[in-house]
Amino acid sequence: MDNLLTESRTFPPSQEFSAQANATSALYTEAAADREAFWAKQAERLDWDTKWDQVLDWSDAPFAKWFVGGRLNVAYNCVDRHVQAGHGDRVAIHWEGEPGDSQTITYAQLQREVCRTANALAALGVGAGDRVAIYLPMLPEAVYSMLACARLGALHSVVFGGFSAEALRTRINDAAAKVVITCDGQYRRGKAMPLKANVDEAVAQTPSVEHVIVVKRTNTDVAFDHTRDKWWDEARAGQPDTHTPQAFDSEHPLFILYTSGTTGKPKGILHTSGGYLTQAAYTHHTVFDLKPDSDTYWCTADIGWVTGHTYIVYGPLANGATQVIYEGTPNTPHEGRHWEIVQKYGVTIYYTAPTTIRTFMKWGSQIPAHYDLSSLRLLGSVGEPINPEAWIWYRHNIGGDRTPVVDTWWQTETGSIMISPLPGVTPTKPGSAQQPLPGISAKIVDETGTPVGHGNGGLLVLDEPWPAMLRGIWGDQQRYRDTYWSKFADLGFYFAGDGAKYDDDGDIWLLGRVDDVMNISGHRISTTEVESALVSHPNVAEAAVVGASDPTTGQGIVAFVILRGGTDDTASGQTALKQLREHVSHEIGPIAKPRQIMVVPELPKTRSGKIMRRLLRDVAENREIGDVTTLADSSVMDLISKGLSKTT
Ligand code: WTA
């Protein structure tokens, strides 16, 4: 982080960009003058069936109600209204499959697909308030399914296709989903990997699931339970491609999305309709400067994460955007795949994660140099702090030193972007997310909640409610209060879990999580989650996990384990450690596989038994070990350091 804190370059917007930008500095003044009036104006971006009679009801804080009394249909806003406005022929999605197949889907087609899917779900008994789990890779059917749920007022719970059967099972059960939508298999690095098999394993223990709908993608052989399973085509056969949308209350739940917290149990973050869609549309319009008639937008996130929800499905479609959706990995079949796609579709706005940018850097600037990237006019970054070097590389090699780069800070919980420069307005600084968006209030405070001055660091809080804020944790509202609102209870601040610092100009620099949540390639994984996966293996007596800094993935998972007596920790021990990594992958998913497992005789603990992860992080990052005076037994760190040869 050292270079981050001494970075001082700035890049003022070009006059040419500013002259045409959606955002103007007047937005800040307008929002500051009357926040609620500002948000009411943003809500006018949507088509409401019934207008709200109150912008915000915060009387039951921390449970917000936005656009109280308003009614709308989210899917109608993302699809039908564009067709009605005469844009039915506009491309909604340029879908690019990993093996090279592609589909062009117009808004008129999207409307038919969403309606047919909604009718199929309704025929299976799905109605308002029901939960549908979606376990799909980046296929158009994932978008159809999400919007079909929204249309019916059913909540979707999208589970990332890289999660294990076990992770899927716990999420299905927590939400008591009635239907699961999946596919036979998914393409990953040129190979067809089975997916349905995970669903079969999961739903063996999910009493709520009545039907599994299976999209055919890879033509992989799958087991089929004909009473429970239905092929996608079979479920939709004979269903009309029209459907009259029903308006739902602004606060009607839209989706649940699970994210890691500081305990082993993932939290089902609950989002609702009117406020969420308002902020999704507003931020997508202003931060990405979207011009629906001329832009081709591409967000490379997976639909299984919140970025895919807000900046592939809801924001862009509410704004009538034309976008690219790509199924595969950036190096399949070659390391120029993204740039080939940018060139093919003339992508103008590109939004990705720092970890991807650092991977591109590793592959070399000669790769993008080979393609025509001149269509690009704006670049975005999200998911973790972006180091200035990666920011500069991105702007130079991808943006041709011409495009603004927006570093956007937000979370699953915030639903939409909260802190970001405004392209065309803000002179950007490599590595800084800079300022809360107009309408948003954020502060950096010390442990007592007092704002820190310029040049100082502290904890990031959100001190005013915002439209896309989470409305709670599914089935556990006490946990919602405890997790986000208890640290500064008297002040009513939402605690984001991130450390941050103001520079001398008062711009915000994000410094990473301050809790036990790791950020691996922009994916949130809790240390406790991985620890519980490890100790669920019969050979492990105890485990402690830390996120160690990693040049590509931001952080890498390093596990310290005490093996049970009798477990061989030499020779065949290497195999045992490999099995442990596989075990974690099976319990959570490949993204949670430790980069490194170290076998240790003891773990450093305080007298009250709390594991001192700080010291383990020192070991994992090859640093001199810090202050050990609070350890119950200070010789433990010597033992650990000595035993370090036995690692994988
Ligand atoms: C981190 C992803 C620095 C942060 C949208 C946050 C960032 C967590 C940035 C949320 C950024 C996200 N700069 N850190 N621009 N964006 N983060 O819920 O630690 O998957 O709390 O949402 O990612 O991760 P989540």
Side-chain angles (χ1 to χ4, degrees):
M1 288 289 160
D2 287 350
N3 61 345
L4 196 154
L5 299 182
T6 54
E7 177 60 46
S8 61
R9 286 169 284 191
T10 57
F11 295 84
S14 72
Q15 267 181 2
E16 192 193 345
F17 194 101
S18 299
Q20 59 82 62
N22 288 347
T24 61
S25 58
L27 287 175
Y28 291 109
T29 351
E30 205 185 304
D34 187 341
R35 248 170 45 84
E36 290 190 16
F38 175 83
W39 282 117
K41 192 167 158 196
Q42 300 311 323
E44 300 284 1
R45 296 176 180 280
L46 309 180
D47 276 16
W48 295 80
D49 182 78
T50 311
K51 207 170 156 187
W52 60 89
D53 32 52
Q54 191 185 354
V55 175
L56 167 67
D57 177 359
W58 191 229
S59 59
D60 187 28
F63 298 94
K65 289 197 183 78
W66 281 88
F67 309 113
V68 186
R71 296 179 75 80
L72 80 172
N73 186 287
V74 169
Y76 171 86
N77 272 279
C78 292
V79 186
D80 305 51
R81 64 169 175 151
H82 306 310
V83 179
Q84 280 171 20
H87 303 308
D89 291 338
R90 182 189 291 164
V91 174
I93 299 169
H94 289 292
W95 179 81
E96 184 79 11
E98 194 186 78
D101 50 338
S102 61
Q103 287 182 47
T104 302
I105 302 144
T106 63
Y107 273 94
Q109 278 169 296
L110 182 63
Q111 184 182 32
R112 291 194 289 272
E113 296 287 359
V114 172
C115 288
R116 198 186 292 282
T117 311
N119 287 323
L121 287 175
L124 292 176
V126 174
D130 287 338
R131 276 82 58 204
V132 173
I134 300 177
Y135 186 57
L136 279 173
M138 298 294 287
L139 300 177
E141 286 83 354
V143 179
Y144 306 157
S145 302
M146 290 166 77
L147 291 172
C149 289
R151 197 168 184 99
L152 297 173
L155 292 77
H156 53 72
S157 161
V158 181
V159 179
F160 174 52
F163 274 130
S164 67
E166 177 58 21
L168 174 63
R169 183 184 67 80
T170 52
R171 284 159 177 77
I172 292 174
N173 282 339
D174 188 74
K178 216 169 173 175
V179 170
V180 181
I181 307 180
T182 187
C183 63
D184 51 353
Q186 56 178 337
Y187 288 112
R188 232 51 216 144
R189 302 201 153 78
K191 279 202 247 101
M193 310 289 285
L195 200 63
K196 166 80 163 48
N198 280 354
V199 177
D200 292 337
E201 192 184 329
V203 299
Q205 294 171 63
T206 57
S208 61
V209 173
E210 294 169 14
H211 299 284
V212 175
I213 302 179
V214 189
V215 175
K216 205 171 257 180
R217 172 59 182 144
T218 53
N219 286 313
T220 307
D221 274 343
V222 294
F224 221 77
D225 169 345
H226 286 277
T227 56
R228 183 197 70 198
D229 301 347
K230 285 206 161 35
W231 290 107
W232 171 265
D233 287 346
E234 185 193 348
R236 302 196 326 154
Q239 293 297 341
D241 61 9
T242 54
H243 175 271
T244 310
Q246 181 191 337
F248 294 100
D249 191 275
S250 177
E251 284 300 330
H252 188 79
L254 181 61
F255 66 83
I256 305 169
L257 183 59
Y258 287 85
T259 187
S260 291
T262 50
T263 72
K265 191 174 178 279
K267 300 176 286 201
I269 303 301
L270 177 68
H271 282 287
T272 61
S273 305
Y276 170 80
L277 197 63
T278 295
Q279 197 178 330
Y282 155 68
T283 52
H284 184 259
H285 173 83
T286 23
V287 176
F288 298 114
D289 194 48
L290 182 89
K291 311 284 193 290
D293 292 329
S294 52
D295 275 317
T296 302
Y297 162 90
W298 182 15
C299 165
T300 71
D302 191 281
I303 229 146
W305 309 110
V306 74
T307 309
H309 282 58
T310 309
Y311 296 107
I312 294 178
V313 180
Y314 293 109
L317 296 177
N319 288 339
T322 295
Q323 67 176 318
V324 169
I325 296 184
Y326 171 53
E327 180 186 33
T329 44
N331 53 351
T332 309
H334 56 81
E335 292 169 347
R337 188 65 192 270
H338 274 207
W339 318 125
E340 183 180 76
I341 294 174
V342 167
Q343 180 177 291
K344 174 173 174 187
Y345 294 106
V347 171
T348 56
I349 305 166
Y350 177 83
Y351 188 32
T352 197
T355 184
T356 315
I357 300 166
R358 289 192 297 264
T359 305
F360 292 142
M361 287 171 77
K362 218 164 54 183
W363 293 343
S365 53
Q366 75 285 358
I367 293 175
H370 191 69
Y371 297 87
D372 177 6
L373 306 181
S374 60
S375 56
L376 288 169
R377 63 179 200 91
L378 177 69
L379 302 176
S381 170
V382 62
E384 50 174 321
I386 180 163
N387 45 315
E389 196 194 341
W391 193 103
I392 295 280
W393 186 94
Y394 191 33
R395 184 173 186 277
H396 180 68
N397 293 283
I398 309 303
D401 283 329
R402 141 194 105 244
T403 62
V405 175
V406 287
D407 175 14
T408 62
W409 179 89
W410 59 295
Q411 309 179 295
T412 306
E413 292 86 342
T414 69
S416 294
I417 297 172
M418 302 293 282
I419 306 179
S420 165
L422 284 183
V425 176
T426 319
T428 51
K429 293 180 179 172
S432 172
Q434 301 192 281
Q435 292 292 327
L437 289 180
I440 299 298
S441 188
K443 290 199 165 60
I444 302 173
V445 299
D446 66 15
E447 281 289 334
T448 68
T450 311
V452 302
H454 291 184
N456 291 302
L459 305 170
L460 182 70
V461 297
L462 303 168
D463 57 333
E464 294 285 354
W466 63 101
M469 70 193 292
L470 74 166
R471 300 301 197 264
I473 294 177
W474 182 258
D476 197 348
Q477 295 302 37
Q478 191 53 45
R479 191 174 175 198
Y480 169 62
R481 291 175 188 277
D482 294 347
T483 311
Y484 305 105
W485 302 94
S486 63
K487 189 163 177 71
F488 299 107
D490 298 345
L491 298 160
F493 293 167
Y494 167 94
F495 174 47
D498 281 27
K501 156 185 165 81
Y502 288 121
D503 65 16
D504 293 336
D505 304 326
D507 276 323
I508 296 174
W509 297 70
L510 276 308
L511 302 175
R513 303 285 308 188
V514 294
D515 54 13
D516 291 333
V517 175
M518 299 175 287
N519 192 326
I520 317 296
S521 296
H523 300 151
R524 278 164 67 170
I525 299 169
S526 84
T527 50
T528 357
E529 224 174 330
V530 181
E531 284 165 5
S532 16
L534 283 166
V535 295
S536 72
H537 191 279
N539 289 351
V540 177
E542 234 183 303
V545 166
V546 298
S549 64
D550 184 289
T552 307
T553 58
Q555 286 188 310
I557 303 178
V558 178
F560 295 81
V561 298
I562 305 179
L563 296 178
R564 283 196 192 284
T567 309
D568 183 1
D569 68 349
T570 56
S572 65
Q574 291 301 326
T575 328
L577 293 184
K578 213 187 238 161
Q579 279 170 5
L580 269 186
R581 297 178 73 235
E582 287 311 318
H583 176 72
V584 174
S585 174
H586 180 263
E587 290 294 300
I588 308 173
I591 47 166
K593 236 192 235 185
R595 180 183 81 185
Q596 198 179 11
I597 299 182
M598 305 191 188
V599 177
V600 293
E602 293 287 348
L603 289 171
K605 288 184 185 156
T606 60
R607 283 174 199 89
S608 60
K610 198 171 172 332
I611 293 173
M612 292 193 68
R613 288 204 178 78
R614 170 173 63 80
L615 298 177
L616 292 174
R617 216 170 289 130
D618 288 342
V619 174
E621 294 177 348
N622 292 318
R623 257 198 314 270
E624 199 165 319
I625 289 161
D627 183 8
V628 294
T629 48
T630 52
L631 280 183
D633 173 1
S634 59
S635 65
V636 166
M637 289 317 293
D638 288 341
L639 282 174
I640 292 176
S641 305
K642 268 190 220 137
L644 284 189
S645 47
K646 298 171 206 152
T647 62
T648 61

